[in-house]
Amino acid sequence: MTRLFVLGALMTLAIVLKSSPGQAANSVKISTKGDQLCVSSNGTPNHTIGTFPNRGNPHRFRAQKLTYCMDATPQDTGRITHRANASGISLTGVPFRPGTADFYDASSPRGFSRDSSSGWRLEGMGAADMLGMDRQNAHVDHRGLYHYHAPAPALTASLRGTVIGYAADGFPIHYVGDSVKPSWQLKPGKRPTAPYGRYDGTYEQDWQHVQGSGNLDECNGAVVDGSYVYFATDRFPFFPRCFRGTVSRDFLGRP
């Protein structure tokens, strides 16, 4: 795996909490229970969120009672797993969920639905307007759970250091702007089936991993100072979408 030197010393972070008019204050607790690192929160971010419902998102934000526990001392298993419904959790207790459950569907009035038969899954940020993302690259699901599809400017600005959260297998997630480059590229040419058109990032299948095209691996991670870490990036895949450690069950049961 590629070794990076862009980070320097890895820092322990302090959380700067902000109150937003008409929105409950962020509440989060990070603790260690045996061999588990647990993040518990009310699901409310430490910044103002967009207006929900909106044209692309019919759901209303609701505070949640969330607890995500993961390996406190993660180890590289030597294999890659793709199974997880959330990529990780922020230090402020808001989930990272870059993927979507929506697919191209010509028979739907909105042009997409939960019917996966087309094989073209909407990419959250590529279809941001269609899915009603706010300015923090986030929206809410059918339960009102607010979650990020890409790094949130307000979140990264509110934290001291580079760690913004933890992945589903316990490895830390760092954000360092454009100092690192993912190894995912848009496919050349055009889609062979409906919705046709050029590969432009609207759908997850528009992207392909090209080893060596960036300095991160397939899971958006790398070895830094002898330790494996993931990165949140400003371009696809935004957060890790596969994992080198053991994924916690807490990240498997939240569709």
Side-chain angles (χ1 to χ4, degrees), residues 14 41 165 174 193 206 208:
S41 79
H174 293 261
T193 60
D206 289 353
Q208 62 183 346

Side-chain angles (χ1 to χ4, degrees), residues 71 73-78 169 171 244-246:
D71 197 335
T73 56
Q75 302 293 321
D76 191 332
T77 64
D169 57 5
F171 284 110
R244 302 189 67 92
T246 301

Side-chain angles (χ1 to χ4, degrees), residues 31-211:
S31 59
T32 301
K33 300 178 181 178
D35 61 353
Q36 296 286 292
L37 176 68
C38 297
V39 179
S40 299
S41 79
N42 62 354
T44 301
N46 65 334
H47 56 76
T48 303
I49 69 173
T51 300
F52 299 101
N54 60 39
R55 183 176 180 181
N57 189 297
H59 310 301
R60 188 177 303 278
F61 169 75
R62 293 182 178 87
Q64 311 274 323
K65 185 177 181 180
L66 304 177
T67 296
Y68 288 87
C69 293
M70 65 225 83
D71 197 335
T73 56
Q75 302 293 321
D76 191 332
T77 64
R79 63 183 184 274
I80 292 175
T81 178
H82 292 83
R83 185 175 174 231
N85 289 316
S87 289
I89 185 76
S90 75
L91 293 180
T92 55
V94 176
F96 300 135
R97 282 173 43 186
T100 76
D102 295 299
F103 293 79
Y104 170 75
D105 183 355
S107 67
S108 171
R110 301 178 70 190
F112 61 89
S113 72
R114 298 296 176 93
D115 182 351
S116 63
S117 59
S118 73
W120 297 98
R121 183 192 298 270
L122 285 181
E123 163 51 35
M125 297 311 300
D129 289 342
M130 297 168 65
L131 297 172
M133 299 293 173
D134 67 9
R135 293 182 179 180
Q136 302 304 324
N137 301 321
H139 66 179
V140 296
D141 68 9
H142 64 286
R143 296 171 300 161
L145 177 63
Y146 189 78
H147 57 278
Y148 299 118
H149 281 260
L155 172 67
T156 58
S158 70
L159 301 175
R160 302 189 183 106
T162 62
V163 177
I164 63 170
Y166 296 94
D169 57 5
F171 284 110
I173 300 176
H174 293 261
Y175 176 76
V176 287
D178 59 2
S179 296
V180 294
K181 181 182 178 182
S183 298
W184 286 83
Q185 307 293 329
L186 283 173
K187 296 175 182 177
K190 298 182 179 180
R191 304 182 191 101
T193 60
Y196 301 107
R198 290 192 173 276
Y199 296 111
D200 61 2
T202 301
Y203 301 95
E204 191 173 307
Q205 289 71 29
D206 289 353
W207 295 91
Q208 62 183 346
H209 177 243
V210 181
Q211 187 173 356

